[in-house]
Amino acid sequence: TTFNSRTYLQPQLNKACKKSDKRANGDVNPKDFIVFGKNDFKVSHTWKDNTGEKKFIEDMAFPTLNFPSDHGILATILEPIAASSSS
């Protein structure tokens, strides 16, 4: 999951945009997925983080000085589903 945009201080000036246009012209897309078989695991808890503090701030562009990645963190706790034994 990303929400980033280039500034005029970075290379590739053709991709740079004003702060007020970062949502419209930046890269705001889901790009990270957790894939598992629905018969193998159940989701215990899922969260996202773009601060490094297990919090997610909506509409915040990143990377930032405190969170230097251009991808947010997507995390989940999976619990195995016990296989049923057939007799």
Side-chain angles (χ1 to χ4, degrees), residues 2-47:
T2 62
F3 183 173
N4 59 21
S5 58
R6 291 196 181 272
T7 68
Y8 290 99
L9 298 176
Q10 294 174 289
Q12 297 179 312
L13 288 175
N14 59 318
K15 294 182 180 179
C17 66
K18 297 179 195 174
K19 185 176 180 178
S20 60
D21 295 334
K22 68 183 175 185
R23 172 134 295 291
N25 297 334
D27 182 6
V28 183
N29 293 295
K31 295 187 178 185
D32 303 293
F33 302 91
I34 299 171
V35 180
F36 58 92
K38 68 179 180 178
N39 296 323
D40 299 323
F41 297 96
K42 66 179 181 176
V43 175
S44 173
H45 181 68
T46 299
W47 67 96

Side-chain angles (χ1 to χ4, degrees), residues 61-82:
F62 45 93
T64 66
L65 292 176
N66 293 326
F67 190 79
S69 176
D70 63 351
H71 282 249
I73 297 169
L74 175 62
T76 195
I77 297 172
L78 299 175
E79 295 181 14
I81 296 175

